[in-house]
């Protein structure tokens, strides 16, 4: 059964770079038909799509975050990562990684449990 | 990519039906049949309930149904149960490999 697990620092200082990794287990990140995405949720607010990556390295990001976001994939480690630069308090959120099943479901069908990241000095 | 518009809250009594709307534009909801709905209980990760506007993943009760008309998608939950109390989010493909979520709706079972 495919599982996703986010990892990374829970506290980041303003103006620094937030870095998170999602480890995929129970399946290969290199399987065709699947994208791997990042979604975040500020406290008491809704979900916001950050971006997706395909195992080939093709990335697609939200226009509102594009200038600050880098998404990468490491197929040898079955992991993908997100970096968000120049963070502010507005970037405080639970960050989820999820699988985008494209071709048969066209939705984010498997999610990690999420990791809380607080931006504070 | 502006967030899709959902009502902040809806409520219903056990056994009743409720419908949650999700309004987008002709660049997202209105142009693609790739609308999905997610259920999120407090402190938990979202769970996929509906995909491709009206299809249910295996294991999701048939009390949950989805539809779309123009730029508005809807999630209907019939035969409300206490465990349905949660936040619900819609999501739509917006073209060029981008996605947009709704602001979320809190469902209260009275």
């Amino acid at each position: 059964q495919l599982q996703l697990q986010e990892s990374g620092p829970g506290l980041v200082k303003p103006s620094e770079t937030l870095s998170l990794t999602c480890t995929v287990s129970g399946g290969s990140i290199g399987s065709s038909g699947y994208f791997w995405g990042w979604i975040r949720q500020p406290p008491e607010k809704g979900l916001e799509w950050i971006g997706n990556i395909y195992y080939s390295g093709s990335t697609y990001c939200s226009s509102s975050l594009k200038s600050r976001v880098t998404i990468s994939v490491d197929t040898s480690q079955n992991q993908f990562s997100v970096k968000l630069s120049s963070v502010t308090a507005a970037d405080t959120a639970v960050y989820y990684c999820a699988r985008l099943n494209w071709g048969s479901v066209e939705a984010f069908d498997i999610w990690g449990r999420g990791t809380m990241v607080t931006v504070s000095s | 990519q502006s967030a899709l518009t959902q009502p902040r809250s809806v409520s219903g009594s056990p056994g009743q039906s409720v419908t949650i709307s999700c309004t987008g534009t002709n660049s997202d909801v209105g142009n693609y049949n790739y609308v999905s709905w997610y259920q999120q209980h407090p402190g938990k990760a979202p769970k996929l309930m509906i995909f491709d506007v009206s299809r249910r993943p295996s294991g999701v009760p048939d009390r949950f149904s989805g539809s779309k008309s123009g730029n508005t998608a809807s999630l209907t939950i019939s035969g409300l149960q206490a465990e349905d109390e949660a936040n619900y989010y819609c999501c739509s493909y917006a073209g060029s490999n981008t996605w947009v979520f709704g602001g979320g709706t809190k469902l209260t079972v009275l």
Side-chain angles (χ1 to χ4, degrees):
Chain A
Q1 182 178 350
L2 193 83
Q3 292 185 320
L4 286 74
Q5 178 67 58
E6 304 88 351
S7 59
L11 180 64
V12 181
K13 290 182 168 55
S15 81
E16 296 190 343
T17 296
L18 177 161
S19 296
L20 296 173
T21 294
C22 182
T23 300
V24 179
S25 59
S28 173
I29 202 170
S31 300
S32 62
Y34 302 113
F35 290 77
W36 305 93
W38 289 99
I39 296 114
R40 70 180 183 177
Q41 184 173 35
E44 304 304 316
K45 293 190 177 179
L47 301 170
E48 179 184 18
W49 177 71
I50 298 172
N52 296 336
I53 190 165
Y54 198 57
Y55 75 90
S56 62
S58 297
T59 59
Y60 311 92
C61 296
S62 166
S63 57
S64 63
L65 297 171
K66 198 168 189 174
S67 63
R68 297 195 292 132
V69 169
T70 302
I71 300 176
S72 58
V73 63
D74 185 342
T75 54
S76 67
Q77 296 293 317
N78 231 29
Q79 295 176 331
F80 61 106
S81 301
V82 63
K83 293 184 187 297
L84 182 64
S85 63
S86 305
V87 298
T88 69
D91 296 309
T92 293
V94 174
Y95 285 75
Y96 294 99
C97 60
R99 185 181 78 171
L100 173 62
N101 189 335
W102 186 254
S104 59
V105 173
E106 291 83 37
F108 296 94
D109 62 346
I110 300 176
W111 295 63
R113 298 176 68 175
T115 187
M116 180 68 201
V117 179
T118 301
V119 178
S120 175
S121 55
Chain B
Q1 297 149 345
S2 298
L4 307 176
T5 300
Q6 297 182 233
R8 292 290 295 268
S9 64
V10 298
S11 63
S13 299
Q16 288 187 331
S17 294
V18 295
T19 296
I20 300 171
S21 62
C22 169
T23 301
T25 69
N26 53 20
S27 296
D28 38 62
V29 174
N31 200 33
Y32 303 98
N33 288 323
Y34 300 141
V35 176
S36 47
W37 289 90
Y38 302 84
Q39 176 191 67
Q40 186 182 36
H41 288 107
K44 300 294 187 182
K47 174 187 175 184
L48 178 65
M49 303 301 284
I50 295 286
F51 66 94
D52 292 353
V53 174
S54 60
R55 298 173 65 188
R56 278 187 311 276
S58 173
V60 172
D62 60 6
R63 302 185 295 104
F64 292 83
S65 62
S67 62
K68 191 185 86 167
S69 177
N71 295 339
T72 298
S74 299
L75 172 71
T76 298
I77 309 170
S78 58
L80 268 180
Q81 299 182 5
E83 61 259 36
D84 298 334
E85 184 163 296
N87 290 308
Y88 290 84
Y89 295 90
C90 61
C91 178
S92 176
Y93 182 64
S96 301
N97 288 289
T98 65
W99 297 80
V100 60
F101 282 90
T105 298
K106 179 177 174 59
L107 168 62
T108 300
V109 180
L110 302 170

